Amino acid sequence: MSEHGRADVVIIGGAIIGSAVATFLAARPDFDGRIVVVERDPTFRTSSTTLSAASIRLQFSTPLNIEISRFGLEVVRHPERFLTVGGEAPDVDFVENGYLFLATDAGLATLEHNHAVQRSLDVPVDLLTPAEIRRRFPWINADDLAGASLGLAGEGWFDAYALLQGFRRRARSLGVMQRVGEVTGIDLEGGRAAAVRLSDGSRIETDWVVNAAGPRAAEVAGMAGIALPVRPRKRFVYHLEAPISLGAAPLTIDPSGIYFRPEGPAYLAGYSPRGDDPDPDTLDLAVDESRFESHVWPALAHRVPAFDRLRLLDAWAGLYEVNTLDHNAIVGPHPSIRNLLFANGFSGHGLQQAPAVGRGLAEWIATGRYESLDLSRLGYERIERGEPILELNVV
Ligand SMILES: Cc1cc2nc3c(=O)[nH]c(=O)nc-3n(C[C@H](O)[C@H](O)[C@H](O)COP(=O)(O)OP(=O)(O)OC[C@H]3O[C@@H](n4cnc5c(N)ncnc54)[C@H](O)[C@@H]3O)c2cc1C
């Protein structure tokens, strides 16, 4: 139904990023404005948030990404501190098994470099020799490996849907309006975003617009005439049954780019294309199982010989929102349309970054600056200048 209205803040997209911004803003004692979150699909069936591998790590090469995940970790470990409603907090079922990055000779120098950065920030990580890899993880074939980096605490995986619903419930309890609808236009007036238009003909005037549209972020930025280098790219997740238990195995990242981790008694695996692998822009979520047979399974069985007898239970596809400049988030105001804020381009690590980015944009809207963690390095300015932030640990 078409209706017109006013808000102080309109957030486009109500999955993990939009809901985190709304929740942290609404929870601030110094902000009492009207927040409207507009979401085109409240089932979240096709959102990246619900299709993700839902894991969190501290093993980044960029100090800012490490600090961002640290706050994500605090929320995942202690949802009761942030998401309690009526005495109840969501159970996000955090499995803290760590990440294990494996390296051949070619990747060892990068592994050691990242290790030094991480240790300088007190991240609990260990570098393992091939002999140590074999001792700790006897199921790994370490013949072609030169080393590994193991996270000892603060890394693992959790229930993304429970976290999302926790944020949404908390946002509602704080008075956030969650509206079903599709934003199709942004009206600019005097160099500002003045209103958003919905496909049902509604128009909402607003002081702030937040782009939290995930893989559709460039489409939304385009409504304000802005080019955003964020592209929807398909990533498969395979749900596997194996004839052996690897025990409390970490999320293991193979040098081939393939990763796997336990999921209850079964396993999840996936990969991101490397080098010249085709990686077209698409919103399509159809699953191509042939890639599993030809590419993924052989690599898994090479690394874990017991995976030779895997069974594919299920598979799905989700969309990475790839920032083609540098695979890092784009966060904060557009340099000339200052009341249009980005929270986009997370390139496969947005779930764990949602709490810090939500808190950061809430600070920005309420006070005009970042208070707890300076996110300005992630600003849009670097896109205009073509200056990437190099993150070496992209999964
Ligand atoms: C296979 C896979 C594995 C991943 N693994 C991890 C991981 O292990 N750890 C991690 O941290 N991250 C991971 N990610 C990335 C993470 O899931 C995303 O970065 C994060 O969920 C992005 O959240 P979002 O809210 O920005 O986007 P989304 O969850 O996609 O939400 C965007 C929302 O905006 C809505 N929307 C879009 N356009 C409009 C419009 N015009 N009007 C109204 N609503 C609109 C959409 O319906 C959608 O609900 C993974 C992603 C995939 C696909």
Side-chain angles (χ1 to χ4, degrees), residues 12-18 38-41 44 47-49 51-55 99 181-183 212-216 220 223 235 237 259 318-321 343 346 348-353:
I12 306 172
I16 199 69
I17 296 291
V38 184
E39 170 54 54
R40 61 197 283 282
D41 176 11
F44 299 102
S47 75
S48 304
T49 299
L51 297 169
S52 134
S55 307
Y99 270 60
E182 176 159 13
V183 173
R216 289 186 156 85
V220 166
M223 295 172 195
R235 297 289 179 268
V237 180
Y259 69 85
L319 299 172
Y320 268 22
E321 64 302 46
F346 295 95
H349 40 264
L351 200 57
Q352 63 200 287
Q353 297 202 327

Side-chain angles (χ1 to χ4, degrees), residues 77-88:
R77 268 191 184 149
H78 297 290
E80 74 286 354
R81 290 186 192 159
F82 304 93
L83 302 177
T84 295
V85 178
E88 275 183 42

